[in-house]
Amino acid sequence: MEISALCLPEKKLNQLRSKGIDSVESLLWRFPNKYMDFTRITRLVRSNENVQLQGAFCCTVQRLEQSPRNAKIPYVLMKAQDSETGVNVSVFWFRQYLKYGTFHDVNAGDKYLICGTAQYSTEYNSYTISSPSVFSPFSPDKLRLYPFYRKIPQMADDYYRSAVAKALAFKAVCKEPYPTQISAGHGYPTLDSAIRTLHNPGSCEELKAAQERIVFDILFKFSLQLQNAQSRLSKGSQYNLRSMKMIRDIEAALPYSLTEGQRNVLSSMFASMRDGRRIHALVQGDVGSGKTVVAMLFMAALVDSGFQCALMAPSRVLAQQHYQDIRKTFEPYGVKVALCLGASGLKKADLKAIANGEIQIVVGSHAILSPKVQFKELAGIVVDEEHKFGVAQRNALVEKASAGVHSVTMSATPIPRSLAQVVYGDDVQLCTIKSMPKGRVPVKTACTHRVDKALEAVERQLRLGHQAFAVCPAIAPNEKTERASVTELAEQYKAYLEPRGFKVATLTGKDSKAAMEETIRAFAAGETHVLLSTTVIEVGVNIPNATLIVIHDADCFGLSSLHQLRGRVGRSSFPSYCALVSDQKDNERLKTMVETNSGFEIAKKDLEMRGAGDWLGADQTGNTEPVQFMLAYPEIYQMAREDASAALRAGVNWPIVQDAFKDADDNYTF
Ligand code: ADP
Ligand code: MG
């Protein structure tokens, strides 16, 4: 159902659409990212210390005050008392609340429910609450679990809630995607009731059951996809290795020698490819461990044997970079390489050259695997997954794999064997690059709240002849979020660095393709000194001369993003640094980053911290990585798996089954 069915003003509809909410269903499938338990009244009592209390308070209003006209930040102040203990409390609302006329019918003597954090001051013997999460006339039925949603730009939280309430007023918002016996058999509510509960939980138990139902559905669909894919994989391959000469030549020409870890991974891969077996390998190695060269040597063996290879990367920037590296490495041997960023992006001549085998290596997005690109004899596919590709893209591999094509997936996210087998198939061969290249010094990480300090650190590295990355969460300034933006920081960086003779370049997903390519090229060539960007550089970008990365408003990023970003430096034997700029002194994620450099530790911490609170919060679009759920809910996954194999054996055709087999779309993510 179109989102306009909610009959909201067009302006409001557009605000929802800006976050991808274009239907009633997508509004309902956007679940709260946290719940707060305001089921019980907490009484405000006098204390000998400046304590903080979080909870639901019941207060009697005394009077309302407006801020003076010349106040820097306008506010409304409500003086009240706890209706039982009589302790004084001052409640403040800053800025936007003034607009909504919330206070018209607040009168002295009224009882109100106020939920939030109350700070006690022993000096004034009273509490202060700023911008409470809930404020409404008191009645016992208002004491409940309150859902909280990620913010929609420009929209008040209460307005968003009322939109959700309108959507819920439609009858039967969701059809069951498979027979209810299955979900009921596990004790789950219907999908419709689960969704209603998630937006409007009656109790913690009810909420838990509803969450489990959703998790089950996600894992059920995921299992269907996987099992369907795996049943079509081939164990054998006709693409056998015939020559190892090119590998030896390329290896000899490398400016370094391979680490033991790299060597072991290569030899175990080649060992498995003997005797006509198809290799299906997952190469794991922390950021900077040197996975790319392993992939190149793997491709060299196949190309040298007369076949073609493809390499897929999860972003345009990364595909571009791999393309340059691969071309440089292979050109001396007369190997032709093409870049393919979308099936329609290839020239007719290139398509023809791929079809007749003249071009041996194609680098690009998963569009490489679309039927438009016909290979003469594709024998190997490398997926540089880092942590960005999803299951959908992985499935694109299956068609090819069923024809005996070897596949190698490179990942920086360490996952245990049992899980890898589940995700990538029972026959997956786990290869771990255990050692880092010689001479690597662990990246030193520090937190600061001062941008000027960060700029000084940048200058120090530039004076040593190195380069620096600077990353921030936003492209342009935005009053609401007040997050550091490329536009703003570019001014600051340029003002400081240009008089000192250094060049600052900027890069965002908004730049044209050509501009992006040029920016990266110039930075890689050392023509610019600082690359200020959004997270477009997050995965894989390799500029060994860069020895410092400054991450602005670092608290806005998730742990795995921070780890990936930090992995952009420390790619040489020079000491490297990561500066996390943030106002949040006690941020757990930032602390973890300072404490450890190990991708494994960080992945573990990440899962722990995500925990139940942010259970569906993987990203704004609602595209959660099922793997997260598999780890968090192993019992549910077990059930989903069994149900999926039974369903596939029975050859049923429920909506969820069709849905799971839909082709991945062709969109390229940045
Ligand atoms: P990742 O595993 O994160 O994909 P890359 O493949 O991008 O890492 O490699 C990181 C850097 O390490 C690159 O500059 C690469 O040239 C370099 N490198 C790779 N292997 C070695 C090695 N054995 N010795 C020294 N440097 C290496
Ligand atoms: Mg890489």
Side-chain angles (χ1 to χ4, degrees):
M1 212 182 317
E2 250 286 311
I3 190 78
S4 51
L6 293 181
C7 299
L8 301 175
E10 197 57 26
K11 190 170 138 207
K12 292 289 155 195
L13 291 175
N14 284 336
Q15 288 167 1
L16 291 173
R17 289 186 186 117
S18 79
K19 279 287 164 195
I21 305 166
D22 50 12
S23 63
V24 175
E25 291 77 11
S26 57
L27 180 67
L28 291 174
W29 276 90
R30 189 174 181 270
F31 301 124
N33 64 330
K34 79 177 179 195
Y35 295 90
M36 286 173 100
D37 186 352
F38 297 134
T39 47
R40 250 182 303 274
I41 297 180
T42 306
R43 288 296 166 191
L44 293 167
V45 288
R46 267 177 231 292
S47 164
N48 297 325
E49 287 166 70
N50 292 330
V51 285
Q52 232 185 31
L53 284 181
Q54 201 194 48
F57 313 109
C58 177
C59 303
T60 308
V61 178
Q62 292 177 306
R63 62 172 192 277
L64 279 172
E65 287 172 19
Q66 288 254 19
S67 53
R69 261 181 202 288
N70 57 357
K72 227 170 143 192
I73 304 173
Y75 60 85
V76 170
L77 165 62
M78 185 180 93
K79 293 276 190 187
Q81 285 182 334
D82 185 293
S83 17
E84 207 172 280
T85 65
V87 170
N88 287 332
V89 52
S90 302
V91 189
F92 288 92
W93 289 265
F94 294 100
R95 285 200 182 106
Q96 70 271 33
Y97 268 87
L98 293 180
K99 285 192 274 219
Y100 298 116
T102 323
F103 303 102
H104 280 302
D105 30 78
V106 178
N107 296 308
D110 289 351
K111 260 195 198 173
Y112 268 79
L113 175 70
I114 303 170
C115 306
T117 308
Q119 174 72 50
Y120 190 69
S121 152
T122 46
E123 196 179 330
Y124 299 104
N125 283 328
S126 81
Y127 284 88
T128 323
I129 302 174
S130 307
S131 308
S133 325
V134 176
F135 177 68
S136 73
F138 182 81
S139 70
D141 63 308
K142 292 275 169 56
L143 288 169
R144 55 187 183 89
L145 287 168
Y146 279 84
F148 290 87
Y149 298 85
R150 256 174 252 96
K151 193 144 180 55
I152 301 279
Q154 327 271 310
M155 189 178 282
D157 294 350
D158 288 342
Y159 197 95
Y160 183 81
R161 282 166 210 249
S162 69
V164 173
K166 271 187 158 181
L168 286 171
F170 289 103
K171 262 201 194 118
V173 283
C174 288
K175 287 202 197 78
E176 291 294 319
Y178 52 87
T180 43
Q181 292 95 293
I182 296 183
S183 47
H186 298 306
Y188 297 140
T190 61
L191 191 56
D192 188 73
S193 124
I195 286 178
R196 286 172 193 281
T197 301
L198 285 167
H199 293 290
N200 230 335
S203 67
C204 288
E205 294 72 44
E206 209 184 289
L207 177 61
K208 185 162 171 273
Q211 290 183 328
E212 288 185 358
R213 162 77 206 242
I214 302 292
V215 171
F216 177 82
D217 280 20
I218 291 170
L219 292 176
F220 188 34
K221 182 169 152 190
F222 177 68
S223 305
L224 286 165
Q225 265 177 345
L226 271 176
Q227 293 182 17
N228 175 51
Q230 283 166 19
S231 64
R232 285 145 71 201
L233 291 175
S234 152
K235 300 239 185 283
S237 174
Q238 64 276 36
Y239 306 116
N240 297 323
L241 298 183
R242 297 186 193 133
S243 163
M244 300 295 263
K245 179 166 183 321
M246 197 188 294
I247 283 208
R248 275 188 227 112
D249 291 347
I250 291 181
E251 197 193 325
L254 288 175
Y256 48 78
S257 50
L258 293 181
T259 62
E260 200 183 318
Q262 289 167 322
R263 233 179 264 287
N264 288 343
V265 164
L266 277 166
S267 52
S268 73
M269 286 189 338
F270 291 136
S272 323
M273 284 165 79
R274 306 236 159 81
D275 323 320
R277 266 182 297 165
R278 189 182 80 86
I279 188 184
H280 175 35
L282 175 62
V283 176
Q284 299 187 333
D286 209 341
V287 278
S289 59
K291 295 183 286 291
T292 315
V293 68
V294 170
M296 288 207 269
L297 293 172
F298 163 76
M299 294 196 287
L302 289 171
V303 168
D304 202 18
S305 304
F307 307 119
Q308 290 169 299
C309 288
L311 184 147
M312 304 198 291
S315 79
R316 187 177 288 275
V317 168
L318 189 51
Q320 197 83 39
Q321 176 187 298
H322 279 318
Y323 170 66
Q324 303 294 356
D325 282 355
I326 291 172
R327 220 178 48 174
K328 247 198 317 217
T329 310
F330 281 88
E331 251 169 13
Y333 307 95
V335 177
K336 286 230 171 70
V337 186
L339 178 66
C340 164
L341 298 170
S344 45
L346 276 174
K347 289 192 222 86
K348 274 233 169 74
D350 281 348
L351 283 171
K352 206 172 135 206
I354 295 172
N356 67 25
E358 254 172 67
I359 289 178
Q360 291 115 313
I361 301 180
V362 185
V363 180
S365 66
H366 62 281
I368 295 178
L369 299 182
S370 88
K372 283 186 204 137
V373 187
Q374 287 293 332
F375 287 84
K376 180 162 181 249
E377 211 165 10
L378 182 65
I381 298 174
V382 177
V383 188
D384 188 358
E385 183 170 67
E386 298 295 347
H387 67 304
K388 284 286 176 189
F389 267 120
V391 179
Q393 287 93 335
R394 236 169 259 152
N395 279 351
L397 280 173
V398 170
E399 287 308 319
K400 307 282 175 182
S402 59
V405 174
H406 301 286
S407 80
V408 172
T409 301
M410 301 188 284
S411 166
T413 314
I415 56 175
R417 171 178 298 276
S418 53
L419 190 61
Q421 283 177 334
V422 169
V423 180
Y424 297 89
D426 288 332
D427 60 337
V428 74
Q429 178 178 0
L430 265 199
C431 307
T432 308
I433 305 183
K434 294 204 178 91
S435 42
M436 282 297 211
K438 261 210 208 82
R440 287 286 167 79
V441 202
V443 179
K444 283 211 182 96
T445 305
C447 265
T448 174
H449 63 280
R450 290 178 56 178
V451 178
D452 57 331
K453 287 276 173 218
L455 276 167
E456 284 167 22
V458 171
E459 184 187 357
R460 271 197 297 280
Q461 291 307 304
L462 302 191
R463 293 219 180 274
L464 292 170
H466 295 307
Q467 288 164 286
F469 291 107
V471 176
C472 46
I475 298 181
N478 176 328
E479 263 181 44
K480 283 268 153 55
T481 59
E482 290 179 356
R483 287 178 170 184
S485 71
V486 172
T487 329
E488 248 172 334
L489 281 170
E491 273 176 39
Q492 220 172 336
Y493 270 71
K494 283 181 181 161
Y496 184 85
L497 293 168
E498 280 180 352
R500 292 168 165 80
F502 299 113
K503 288 210 184 103
V504 178
T506 61
L507 181 75
T508 73
K510 279 219 170 121
D511 298 345
S512 73
K513 290 176 206 167
M516 277 175 108
E517 278 159 32
E518 173 52 23
T519 309
I520 296 261
R521 187 207 59 77
F523 187 62
E527 291 163 21
T528 52
H529 304 100
V530 177
L531 184 62
L532 176 61
S533 71
T534 51
T535 50
V536 284
I537 60 136
E538 179 174 321
V539 284
V541 170
N542 186 39
I543 315 264
N545 189 41
T547 50
L548 167 65
I549 182 162
V550 182
I551 307 176
H552 292 274
D553 281 351
D555 49 273
C556 296
F557 300 102
L559 256 184
S560 66
S561 284
L562 289 171
H563 182 60
Q564 281 286 340
L565 285 169
R566 178 167 61 184
R568 295 316 104 217
V569 298
R571 297 180 156 250
S572 64
S573 52
F574 305 112
S576 294
Y577 307 90
C578 170
L580 305 170
V581 182
S582 165
D583 296 330
Q584 296 185 6
K585 262 191 245 129
D586 297 321
N587 186 295
E588 276 296 316
R589 275 170 289 142
L590 304 189
K591 276 192 198 155
T592 306
M593 286 294 292
V594 173
E595 277 159 19
T596 177
N597 271 302
S598 145
F600 196 77
E601 283 295 313
I602 287 179
K604 238 172 62 187
K605 260 276 172 0
D606 197 21
L607 263 174
E608 273 171 32
M609 282 184 209
R610 277 168 188 270
D614 205 11
W615 72 288
L616 273 178
D619 71 16
Q620 285 86 342
T621 56
N623 287 327
T624 29
E625 179 60 81
V627 175
Q628 293 273 339
F629 288 123
M630 292 163 61
L631 289 169
Y633 300 88
E635 307 84 25
I636 299 185
Y637 182 58
Q638 187 57 34
M639 298 188 305
R641 221 174 126 177
E642 284 162 15
D643 289 349
S645 65
L648 287 177
R649 271 199 310 274
V652 292
N653 208 12
W654 309 319
I656 198 169
V657 176
Q658 292 161 359
D659 218 34
F661 296 166
K662 256 192 219 141
D663 282 339
D665 63 7
D666 211 41
N667 287 337
Y668 213 168
T669 54
F670 284 100

